[in-house]
Amino acid sequence: MTTTHTHIHGFTGPEDIVLTPDGTHLLVSALPPDFVNPTGPALMLVDLANDRTRPVKIHRQPEAGWGDPACEPPTEFGTQGLHVSKRPDGRTQLLAVNHAGRESVEMFELLREGNGYEAVWRGAVVFKGGLLNDVVATPEGGFITTVMLDHELVGERDPMAYMFSGAKCGYVAEWQTQTGWKRLPGSEAALNNGVQLSADGRFVWFAAWISGEVLEYDRRALRITRIANLPFQADNLTVDSHGDLIVAGIDDLDDWRERTEAAGGPCQDELAFSVARLDPATFRTTPLFHGDAGLLQGGASVALAVGDALYIGSYTGSRLLKVAARNVS
């Protein structure tokens, strides 16, 4: 089959993608090249009717009941993992992992603005134990995050060397209003990455990027219950309309590492990548799409299925790849 695709331009580090509740737009993160210093808008919006992009307007209006009351509004945002959910009061919440100025989960209210959306910053929770990656809201009103690099575990070691050693350098953490931060015991993995939660809130599904795994963690039993091994580096996780997990990631970790070391920073080369579907009921995976080298800078970090298309992003890229369903096996 000859694959046809299109690119949607205008991004800086579209590492993660989420769908708005009404299904009309995509919200896309903006991960700084150095993970610290933003170079453009904090969030981007894609109108699915025409694939046009624009920055999301952000207003800072703190409100009680959103995160830690001690958190002040940040001066800037460098976003990575995103998650959209409905709060108990019916308002739409956007959670975003932030690396600019502080390591935190920023909390926004999403509001309609004309034919699009704007974001109102309502609160945040700062994290001081390491580097966060992704986030998902919980039914209790808090959230769960993946910690990709635990400062205490790294100690005096070189962080990059430690990560690539295959060591379990990260874990899963949970924050709730009444209890604050807590580490989920037994959730250590080789660079914890994308995260999603079952509809009933019992099971956490998260990716381990270095080992190419997706793991299931039982919040009642407090242990990992199932592991799916993938033939690529599992990065972000999204959920499709059937409740299946969509997993994306680069094909060759060694090649990525060599190119990154040669470049002295994040790899900008267009690398091969894969997308797979994972059935939460059976924990079996099936190939969904393969992207040859040349389609995306840095390969793929996320894939989101919307209607008859896959939208695929990359943490070092400047564009999204849109693939029609007829090209997805």
Side-chain angles (χ1 to χ4, degrees):
M1 177 185 297
T2 301
T3 299
T4 58
H5 60 268
T6 57
H7 284 104
I8 305 172
H9 298 266
F11 304 93
T12 301
E15 198 269 349
D16 203 8
I17 311 169
V18 292
L19 184 67
T20 57
D22 61 4
T24 61
H25 293 76
L26 302 180
L27 288 162
V28 184
S29 63
L31 182 63
D34 61 0
F35 279 71
V36 177
N37 300 297
T39 58
L43 294 165
M44 294 295 293
L45 193 69
V46 180
D47 189 336
L48 292 177
N50 51 32
D51 288 340
R52 291 178 182 171
T53 66
R54 64 178 177 180
V56 177
K57 293 180 182 177
I58 295 179
H59 310 278
R60 292 167 171 81
Q61 298 175 10
E63 183 177 320
W66 294 67
D68 184 346
C71 279
E72 295 292 328
T75 57
E76 55 188 359
F77 300 99
T79 58
Q80 188 171 7
L82 305 175
H83 187 257
V84 171
S85 64
K86 283 289 186 182
R87 291 172 61 88
D89 61 7
R91 291 191 284 176
T92 301
Q93 173 181 268
L94 170 67
L95 300 177
V97 168
N98 177 40
H99 300 295
R102 64 190 186 191
E103 198 69 12
S104 56
V105 173
E106 308 293 339
M107 309 177 77
F108 304 88
E109 181 180 0
L110 278 182
L111 298 173
R112 287 300 307 229
E113 178 209 24
N115 65 345
Y117 281 86
E118 62 183 6
V120 182
W121 184 92
R122 296 300 191 191
V125 181
V126 172
F127 183 75
K128 297 182 179 180
L131 294 178
L132 301 176
N133 189 293
D134 200 8
V135 62
V136 62
T138 66
E140 300 87 356
F143 55 79
I144 289 171
T145 67
T146 45
V147 180
M148 59 179 164
L149 191 62
D150 179 352
H151 290 330
E152 185 175 342
L153 285 175
V154 175
E156 299 300 319
R157 305 179 183 92
D158 175 78
M160 288 292 287
Y162 185 58
M163 283 193 296
F164 283 101
S165 70
K168 293 183 177 181
C169 58
Y171 59 93
V172 178
E174 180 174 343
W175 184 88
Q176 299 291 343
T177 303
Q178 301 301 321
T179 58
W181 285 107
K182 70 175 182 180
R183 181 174 182 152
L184 298 187
S187 64
E188 295 78 15
L191 204 158
N192 300 47
N193 205 298
V195 64
Q196 291 291 339
L197 194 64
S198 61
D200 62 3
R202 176 172 177 177
F203 296 104
V204 181
W205 299 307
F206 68 96
W209 191 65
I210 296 294
S211 57
E213 299 172 321
V214 176
L215 304 96
E216 178 182 80
Y217 186 91
D218 188 331
R219 293 174 72 201
R220 293 181 191 170
L222 299 179
R223 63 183 180 87
I224 291 171
T225 49
R226 292 187 291 183
I227 300 176
N229 293 285
L230 291 103
F232 58 89
Q233 310 313 126
D235 205 306
N236 278 325
L237 309 177
T238 60
V239 181
D240 69 11
S241 59
H242 304 291
D244 290 338
L245 297 173
I246 306 298
V247 191
I250 58 171
D251 286 350
D252 191 330
L253 181 62
D254 290 336
D255 180 45
W256 178 90
R257 183 181 184 183
E258 290 174 3
R259 291 170 185 262
T260 298
E261 291 176 345
C267 176
Q268 297 287 333
D269 295 341
E270 296 176 328
L271 305 178
F273 62 89
S274 295
V275 181
R277 176 182 284 113
L278 191 159
D279 182 348
T282 63
F283 233 58
R284 294 178 180 173
T285 61
T286 54
L288 194 58
F289 178 75
H290 181 264
D292 293 328
L295 287 179
L296 281 176
Q297 290 172 287
S301 60
V302 63
L304 179 68
V306 183
D308 63 353
L310 271 180
Y311 291 85
I312 305 171
S314 167
Y315 84 107
T316 62
S318 60
R319 58 191 183 179
L320 299 182
L321 177 69
K322 180 181 179 181
V323 181
R326 64 178 178 273
N327 298 310
V328 177
S329 57

